[in-house]
Amino acid sequence: MRNYTAACALALVLGCALGCGGGTRAQKPPRPSEPPEAEAYVNLYRLAVLRFQEGKLDEASYNYRQALEQFPAHAESHYGLGLCHLSQGEYKEALESFELALHHRPDYDEVYISMGIVHSELGEREKAEEVLHKALDSPSMQITGLANYHLGLLQLEADEYERAYYSFRKALSDYPDAVLVHAKMAEALERMGRNEEALEYYLEALEGEPGSAEYTYKVALVHFRLNHRAEALEYFRKTLIMAPNSEYGERAFEFLKMLGERE
């Protein structure tokens, strides 16, 4: 199971967190239909969002609870509190908050993504797939793209490479420039032995994140498997220069030794 840190949870849940456009988006602001006397809880909610984005999870949780004391039916505050719990590995509490968010706002489709992550973390794959499939009914391309991405991750972990490939392909229809999706698509293709296609997707990922030692190394490795000696050497050298003390740099060094480039 994956271990989501606060930053990872924020990235994968709150925005286009797949490397397609530079960062995350803030949670949705309160809707205009809310009563005018709600100004105090709105300010507390906005403060909680800010604290969450800063990684101050205890403060964010406190502010979300303050907002809910004033307006217990505020779905966004329930969702934000759930994200705090998720980021701290408090999965039971996260699910309770997410369920309350959906109770007060049944069309809050992005909550299903978060619930899918929780069930995945708990090893409850069937439940994770069930809630992620609910997100696929969303009119939002952002939500369906993230749902397909997370479904692909589940399928990749279960060695269902063909299913993962199609889920990632659907995610790319919503997020064509998504670095992480290109990389995961490449991984699925690589495991199916479709190395020529995997190389194309790794190169797309590397184009989106040119400073990545991981993607540079993976491009080198696929070139090596395809017997592209010159290209493999080029990318192994680049990996070593980029990150000589990293695991990828060390692996690249070993390949360069094997290929007669290092003593």
Side-chain angles (χ1 to χ4, degrees), residues 35-71:
E37 64 269 17
E39 182 177 352
Y41 89 80
V42 169
N43 290 335
L44 287 166
Y45 165 75
R46 290 174 176 164
L47 180 59
V49 171
L50 178 61
R51 293 292 178 258
F52 183 76
Q53 291 173 331
E54 293 171 343
K56 298 176 180 178
L57 300 179
D58 290 338
E59 293 180 34
S61 296
Y62 177 71
N63 292 137
Y64 280 129
R65 288 191 176 94
Q66 284 185 309
L68 287 168
E69 285 177 6
Q70 296 193 27
F71 187 15

Side-chain angles (χ1 to χ4, degrees), residues 172 175-186 201-202 204-205:
L172 282 173
Y175 288 124
D177 299 322
V179 171
L180 275 175
V181 184
H182 279 98
K184 289 299 179 181
M185 173 77 92
Y201 283 100
Y202 277 134
E204 288 282 350

Side-chain angles (χ1 to χ4, degrees), residues 111-151:
V111 177
Y112 291 123
I113 306 294
S114 307
M115 293 179 77
I117 290 174
V118 173
H119 287 303
S120 177
E121 285 295 289
L122 292 171
E124 299 170 347
R125 183 187 167 187
E126 289 186 6
K127 290 182 179 179
E129 288 196 348
E130 181 182 345
V131 294
L132 288 170
H133 276 287
K134 290 180 181 179
L136 294 178
D137 294 329
S138 173
S140 166
M141 291 175 61
Q142 182 181 52
I143 302 304
T144 58
L146 284 171
N148 277 310
Y149 172 71
H150 283 285
L151 282 168

Side-chain angles (χ1 to χ4, degrees), residues 172-224:
L172 282 173
S173 70
D174 293 328
Y175 288 124
D177 299 322
V179 171
L180 275 175
V181 184
H182 279 98
K184 289 299 179 181
M185 173 77 92
E187 186 177 337
L189 287 164
E190 192 177 9
R191 294 189 185 186
M192 287 190 284
R194 294 161 61 175
N195 288 309
E196 291 281 2
E197 294 170 84
L199 179 60
E200 293 178 15
Y201 283 100
Y202 277 134
L203 286 169
E204 288 282 350
L206 185 58
E207 183 178 347
E209 197 173 319
S212 170
E214 177 184 356
Y215 299 152
T216 305
Y217 171 78
K218 289 182 176 178
V219 167
L221 193 58
V222 177
H223 274 306
F224 175 77

